[in-house]
């Protein structure tokens, strides 16, 4: 099923809900338990998935090192107005 989101300028964006569910299932299947906990490991596999997700869509990514073996993935896409920003933030590990 597709969902369409509209904006104030009369444009719309198609969202493929099946693709959203597949992406969610892929991410949930990756062990991303914080390494401080038993059976935890680095979020590297999740980070690589997120980078690939954006790169497949032509969106620039780069890494921000946080701790040895741990990093943030930052994706950037230019908008229509360089003075306005929208920022989304999420954790790649689970507790």
């Amino acid at each position: 099923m597709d969902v369409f989101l509209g904006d104030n300028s009369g444009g719309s964006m198609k969202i493929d809900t099946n693709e959203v569910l597949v992406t969610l299932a892929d991410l949930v299947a990756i062990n991303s338990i914080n390494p401080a906990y038993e059976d935890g490991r680095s979020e590297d596999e999740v980070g690589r998935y997120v980078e690939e997700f954006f790169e497949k869509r032509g969106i620039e990514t780069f890494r921000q090192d946080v701790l040895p073996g741990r990093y943030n993935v930052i994706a950037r896409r230019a908008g229509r107005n360089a003075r306005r920003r929208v920022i989304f933030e999420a954790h790649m590990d689970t507790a």
Side-chain angles (χ1 to χ4, degrees):
M1 178 172 81
D2 293 331
V3 175
F4 292 89
L5 300 177
D7 64 22
N8 291 337
S9 66
S12 67
M13 180 174 71
K14 179 176 139 182
I15 306 280
D16 179 343
T17 55
N18 185 59
E19 182 180 2
V20 172
L21 293 175
V22 167
T23 302
L24 175 61
D26 288 349
L27 286 167
V28 170
I30 299 171
N31 179 347
S32 61
I33 298 172
N34 187 303
Y37 294 95
E38 184 177 339
D39 297 326
R41 61 175 92 163
S42 166
E43 305 90 350
D44 185 59
E45 191 175 351
V46 172
R48 286 183 281 119
Y49 183 98
V50 170
E51 285 174 320
E52 185 177 311
F53 175 89
F54 285 114
E55 288 169 355
K56 281 181 180 177
R57 289 154 179 83
I59 299 172
E60 171 190 15
T61 66
F62 59 94
R63 293 181 180 192
Q64 176 190 48
D65 290 328
V66 178
L67 295 169
R70 300 183 75 186
Y71 56 89
N72 294 320
V73 174
I74 299 174
R76 180 174 35 202
R77 183 173 182 174
R80 291 183 295 234
N81 183 338
R83 294 180 304 187
R84 298 180 69 183
R85 309 262 191 294
V86 175
I87 299 171
F88 297 100
E89 184 274 334
H91 287 268
M92 292 193 300
D93 68 327
T94 54

